[in-house]
Structure formats: C-alpha cells, structure tokens
Amino acid sequence: MDEAETRVKVRIYGQDYTIAGDRDEETIRRIAGYVDEKMREVGRNFATNAQGSLAVLASVNIADEYFRAKEEIEELTAAKEQLEKDAQHYLKMWDEAKKSFLQYKESAARTSEEKKETEERYRQLQEKCSEFENSFFDLQMENIRLKSELDKYRRSNEQEDTKGTGV
C-alpha cells in the first residue's frame, strides 16, 4: 500500500464502503456524500429501488455534470486565452503609445529649442534692421546737409559769376 494513500469508511445510499485514494479524508467524505446525494435524488424521482439501476442513473447524472463542467472549463480556458491575447495586444498598443509620446515629447523639445533659436535670430535681425534704419536716417540727414552745402556753393558761384560779368 502506498504511504500517501488514505483509506476512509463511508456510507453511500445505506451501504458501507471503504474508499482508498490519494486525497485527504475530508475530500473523500465530501465526494462520497455527493454520490450519496445524487443516488438519493435519483431514488426520489424513480419508482425502482434497485441499487444497481440507481447507481447507473446517478453515475450518468454525475457524468453529465462532469462533462458540462469540462465544457465550461474549456470555454473559460478559451476565454482566458483570448483575454490574454487581448491583454498582449493592448500592452503592445500601450508600448507603441508610450513610444509615440516620447517621440512627440522629443519633437516638442526640439521644436521649442528651434523656436527659441528663431526668436533669438528674429531679435538679432530686428536689431540689425534698427541699425540700418538709424544708418539710413543718418545718411538722409547727411544727404540733406550735403544738398544744402551744394545749394550754398552753387548760389555763391552764381553770385561770383554775376559779379564777374558785371551784370
């Protein structure tokens, strides 16, 4: 006899049985109680009291429950696998979104730096423009002064010409 084997005396539908198994005593008693309950349930619904027939019918009911539970387990397993696939898909999408966000963040940082550089270049160009405007103003003033001197020089030449000709 295996050392891990448990032997338990149980009563099923009024008859004593010794059940041996690798499960603990409480589990074996619970299983035997379930079989007893199923046999009594079948016995209440059928007129025959033959234990063999009741045992077969109870076994068929238990097998039906077993196969339904097995189908449900298969459905749940398939649903679990689908959920795992979906989770992997969403994790992949999340990773792609994080990657896109980081790329956007880097792009925004570059754009911000470029904006600062552009603003600095714009400020420098405004200063240059202002310098050119000042230089242009100075040149216009110099032009006006030179025209004025030229006019004076022409008038004085004209006056000298009129004095020299005696007119």
Side-chain angles (χ1 to χ4, degrees):
M1 180 171 88
D2 188 14
E3 288 181 279
E5 190 172 273
T6 305
R7 298 177 73 78
V8 180
K9 286 188 180 186
V10 296
R11 188 171 201 86
I12 299 175
Y13 204 69
Q15 196 150 351
D16 292 331
Y17 297 93
T18 299
I19 299 178
D22 60 357
R23 308 293 290 271
D24 61 84
E25 182 177 337
E26 182 182 327
T27 302
I28 292 173
R29 287 192 187 283
R30 196 172 74 240
I31 292 169
Y34 185 77
V35 172
D36 182 61
E37 178 186 322
K38 287 295 174 182
M39 285 187 70
R40 290 186 188 285
E41 187 179 297
V42 170
R44 283 190 297 272
N45 294 325
F46 292 98
T48 182
N49 275 340
Q51 280 191 348
S53 295
L54 289 175
V56 169
L57 291 173
S59 296
V60 168
N61 286 342
I62 291 169
D64 179 52
E65 288 177 2
Y66 166 77
F67 283 106
R68 286 177 192 253
K70 190 174 177 182
E71 286 173 8
E72 187 176 346
I73 288 170
E74 289 171 359
E75 289 172 4
L76 291 172
T77 300
K80 176 185 167 260
E81 289 172 0
Q82 184 60 46
L83 288 173
E84 287 174 349
K85 286 179 186 177
D86 291 348
Q88 288 301 318
H89 172 72
Y90 291 125
L91 285 173
K92 183 180 176 184
M93 287 177 61
W94 175 252
D95 287 340
E96 289 172 2
K98 285 193 311 189
K99 184 179 176 183
S100 292
F101 174 75
L102 290 175
Q103 289 173 343
Y104 166 76
K105 190 175 175 183
E106 290 171 2
S107 175
R110 280 192 308 272
T111 302
S112 178
E113 188 59 36
E114 289 171 1
K115 179 183 176 215
K116 287 178 186 176
E117 290 171 3
T118 302
E119 286 173 345
E120 177 59 24
R121 179 73 177 135
Y122 179 74
R123 188 192 60 74
Q124 291 173 352
L125 288 173
Q126 277 184 323
E127 286 177 6
K128 268 260 204 252
C129 195
S130 189
E131 288 176 19
F132 286 144
E133 285 174 350
N134 289 339
S135 293
F136 181 72
F137 180 76
D138 290 345
L139 287 173
Q140 282 182 326
M141 294 306 291
E142 180 68 15
N143 189 25
I144 291 171
R145 187 187 64 74
L146 288 173
K147 280 184 179 180
S148 177
E149 281 184 28
L150 183 61
D151 281 346
K152 284 182 191 176
Y153 177 73
R154 281 186 186 154
R155 273 188 255 130
S156 80
N157 272 349
E158 284 176 6
Q159 285 176 0
E160 284 182 16
D161 283 345
T162 38
K163 283 185 189 175
T165 56
V167 181

